[in-house]
Amino acid sequence: MLITKLKDKQSLLSLVSGKAFLIHCHGCMELSFPLEEAAAVQKELSGAGKVAGVMTADYICNPENLRLRLRAHMDEISQADMVLVFSCGVGVQTVASMLEEMKVCAACDTYPLPGFQGLTPLEHDCGQCGECYLNLTGGICPITACSKSLVNGQCGGAKNGMCEVDPTMECGWERIQRRLAALGRLDLLKSPTQIRNFAAGGEGTKETTTV
Amino acid sequence: MKITELFDRGEFVVSAEVGPPKGIHIDHLVEEAKTYLSGVHALNVTDNQSSVMRLGSLATCKVLKDAGLNPIYQLTCRDRNRIALQSDLLSAAMLGIENLLLLTGDHTRLGDHPQAKPVFDLDSVSLIHTAKLLESGVDLGGNPLVGQAPSFAKGAVVSPCSDSVDAQLTKMERKVAAGAEYFQTQAVFDPEKFIQFMERAKQFGKPVQLGIIIPKSAGMAKFMNDNVAGIHVPAALIAELKADKEKTKAGITGIEIAARIIKACKPYCQGVHIMALGWESKVPALLELAGI
Ligand code: SF4
Ligand code: SF4
């Protein structure tokens, strides 16, 4: 289990282009989830006429569960220009992998909670880095999908699209490149140099993270 | 001397690579470098190449510099965090080592200490950014440096024959944006691919040195095809290496192949970087045959 915090409001509102379909996950909310802040953002977006629909669900990290839930909202989703997910990084990645044609954005950053592990990380993994990169990488987590957790693009080690560390694993940055190309968002790869903040979360800092 | 000054002057810049030994005796490396590589403009010193623990790159650079050669300090992000990397960059500047080649580095799992913790606190792009920041007199933590700031020629690598060439070009662009001033490439065996790559890379306006490995045998070529990222030796070249075993063993076939690749690519690049991998003694003959 983990802790999510909303990204700062300005960067959140600037993420939304056109109409957004909002997904709130309340799976682990008994622990720590910014419910009130999320409601405030939703209110602001909906006041501006930017909400195409809202879905609230438990454990969207569980693909079977999510697939069923999404089915009931496909009409609204098809009206939307993007999907904004209020959940941990696993939830966002699960949504992104099911809505391949959509721009799927993370509304939260995910932090580790000392002593707890993520609940149902089945296909996707979140390293709880505390500064979610999914909005720059087409919903594929560079921290867990890349063996070196690189945040500025592919290293020189990929061979036939596979990772230098594990030839049975597809290179995460190859997947990111492909997904952004499919979304027409290769411009995101020209983002300014990213420098990780290990004081924000991630392994090795669990003891010192204060919440 | 900064390698960027040579590019600025329009020189076709030739560099070669040396790998420090696994031990403390460096005389042999220095002797070989002085004998065979004094004709090149600069010498790359690898940083625990392939994640195999060796004598340090920085110390070796200093020894080469004292011997009158012009070293390029290779620095990877595999073994050091941002504090150690910046400290080593300052050490390099203090020792008068001005040429850098900044890399992410191979994963620890690939080397001779697979149990080691991989660091990757920074990566090639953020390390270039950091070197540039130090040049402005500030460190990555935002703290001012005392006294004169260091000044470097900041190099980076790119892999033109990678099967992920789009991702490589994207990364190259990010390196340029972060402050990379020149590039060396992974070894090229297919001039056609390199030329296509340069058609796309020339928009960045940075000098590129063609990477060259002298192929030693058909077996080596096949091994690289199977195991080394970004290297593809075409079947025709493997057949050529197979045809006359004695000639190949003597290094003549490899030199002919490498010289041909250099000649075909020369109009499209600004220099050549030779990774001799133990065949340092063949570098003068190669340069002569290639007409440089
Ligand atoms: S980038 Fe990855 S590790 Fe970081 S919060 Fe997002 S999903 Fe989790
Ligand atoms: S090959 Fe790809 S996944 Fe593996 S370390 Fe390099 S960039 Fe990351």
Side-chain angles (χ1 to χ4, degrees), chain B residues 28 55 57 68 79 96 113 147 162 171 194 222 267 270 277 290:
Chain B
H28 178 67
L55 182 66
S57 172
D79 309 313
H113 289 66
S162 161
K171 184 84 175 244
F194 179 75
K222 281 190 217 141
Q270 289 69 43
L277 307 175

Side-chain angles (χ1 to χ4, degrees), chain A residues 89-90 93 109-110 125-134 141-144:
Chain A
V90 179
Q93 292 180 73
D109 291 321
T110 305
D125 207 357
C126 166
Q128 306 163 11
C129 74
E131 37 183 4
C132 195
Y133 289 93
L134 294 176
C141 169
I143 308 301
T144 55

Side-chain angles (χ1 to χ4, degrees), chain B residues 19-69:
Chain B
K22 201 177 187 77
I24 57 175
H25 293 289
I26 200 174
D27 302 356
H28 178 67
L29 182 150
V30 177
E31 262 332 293
E32 273 207 331
K34 283 209 293 211
T35 312
Y36 304 117
L37 305 175
S38 55
V40 307
H41 292 109
L43 283 182
N44 281 45
V45 183
T46 53
D47 175 13
N48 297 298
Q49 191 173 19
S50 309
S51 309
V52 172
M53 192 286 296
R54 291 159 184 280
L55 182 66
S57 172
L58 184 52
T60 306
C61 283
K62 167 69 172 152
V63 171
L64 289 177
K65 189 176 159 65
D66 290 347
L69 297 153

Side-chain angles (χ1 to χ4, degrees), chain B:
Chain B
M1 171 194 239
K2 277 192 191 160
I3 187 170
T4 40
E5 288 170 27
L6 299 168
F7 289 118
D8 289 347
R9 263 196 251 145
E11 300 235 18
F12 190 76
V13 177
V14 183
S15 57
E17 193 161 286
V18 296
K22 201 177 187 77
I24 57 175
H25 293 289
I26 200 174
D27 302 356
H28 178 67
L29 182 150
V30 177
E31 262 332 293
E32 273 207 331
K34 283 209 293 211
T35 312
Y36 304 117
L37 305 175
S38 55
V40 307
H41 292 109
L43 283 182
N44 281 45
V45 183
T46 53
D47 175 13
N48 297 298
Q49 191 173 19
S50 309
S51 309
V52 172
M53 192 286 296
R54 291 159 184 280
L55 182 66
S57 172
L58 184 52
T60 306
C61 283
K62 167 69 172 152
V63 171
L64 289 177
K65 189 176 159 65
D66 290 347
L69 297 153
N70 186 24
I72 299 178
Y73 176 31
Q74 290 197 189
L75 186 62
T76 73
C77 301
R78 174 191 54 235
D79 309 313
R80 308 164 184 80
N81 69 7
R82 65 190 77 183
I83 298 174
L85 287 168
Q86 293 180 96
S87 175
D88 282 353
L89 285 172
L90 292 185
S91 300
M94 185 267 289
L95 295 170
I97 291 151
E98 305 173 288
N99 297 311
L100 305 176
L101 193 80
L102 304 169
L103 312 124
T104 298
D106 293 326
H107 199 278
T108 45
R109 209 64 60 73
L110 308 187
D112 69 347
H113 289 66
Q115 308 86 349
K117 177 172 184 176
V119 179
F120 304 114
D121 179 18
L122 300 182
D123 57 30
S124 51
V125 177
S126 47
L127 180 57
I128 294 164
H129 168 91
T130 303
K132 194 171 173 188
L133 209 56
L134 291 176
E135 291 177 316
S136 74
V138 184
D139 71 14
L140 197 53
N143 314 294
L145 302 179
V146 178
Q148 197 195 337
S151 173
F152 301 110
K154 301 177 291 302
V157 294
V158 67
S159 197
C161 304
S162 161
D163 12 54
S164 312
V165 71
D166 288 343
Q168 286 295 309
L169 278 159
T170 306
K171 184 84 175 244
M172 185 181 186
E173 187 169 2
R174 285 186 96 141
K175 289 179 179 181
V176 171
E181 295 163 289
Y182 71 95
F183 285 84
Q184 294 182 340
T185 78
Q186 174 60 293
V188 170
F189 288 95
D190 183 346
E192 210 42 56
K193 265 198 186 152
F194 179 75
I195 293 165
Q196 283 167 15
F197 170 85
M198 284 308 296
E199 283 302 322
R200 297 174 68 187
K202 68 179 180 207
Q203 57 173 314
F204 305 131
K206 297 295 171 197
V208 173
Q209 287 178 278
L210 166 78
I212 288 289
I213 288 178
I214 308 170
K216 295 181 184 177
S217 66
M220 177 208 201
K222 281 190 217 141
F223 178 85
M224 291 192 296
N225 277 352
D226 291 341
N227 298 292
V228 183
I231 295 193
H232 293 281
V233 187
L237 292 188
I238 297 182
E240 189 177 339
L241 287 161
K242 255 194 205 148
D244 184 338
K245 288 221 168 70
E246 284 312 307
K247 190 178 160 199
T248 297
K249 210 168 160 199
I252 302 169
T253 316
I255 289 175
E256 284 174 1
I257 290 174
R260 247 180 11 236
I261 298 170
I262 296 175
K263 279 187 174 160
C265 297
K266 193 169 178 231
Y268 303 90
C269 59
Q270 289 69 43
V272 58
H273 173 63
I274 300 163
M275 296 162 263
L277 307 175
W279 272 13
E280 283 73 19
S281 61
K282 314 234 183 282
V283 172
L286 168 61
L287 294 177
E288 197 185 321
L289 192 61
I292 32 182

Side-chain angles (χ1 to χ4, degrees), chain A residues 145-148 150 153-155 157-158 162-164 169 171-173:
Chain A
C146 167
S147 299
K148 297 175 188 167
L150 301 178
Q154 188 183 51
C155 79
M162 305 308 253
C163 175
E164 71 171 31
M169 174 188 132
C171 164
W173 276 97

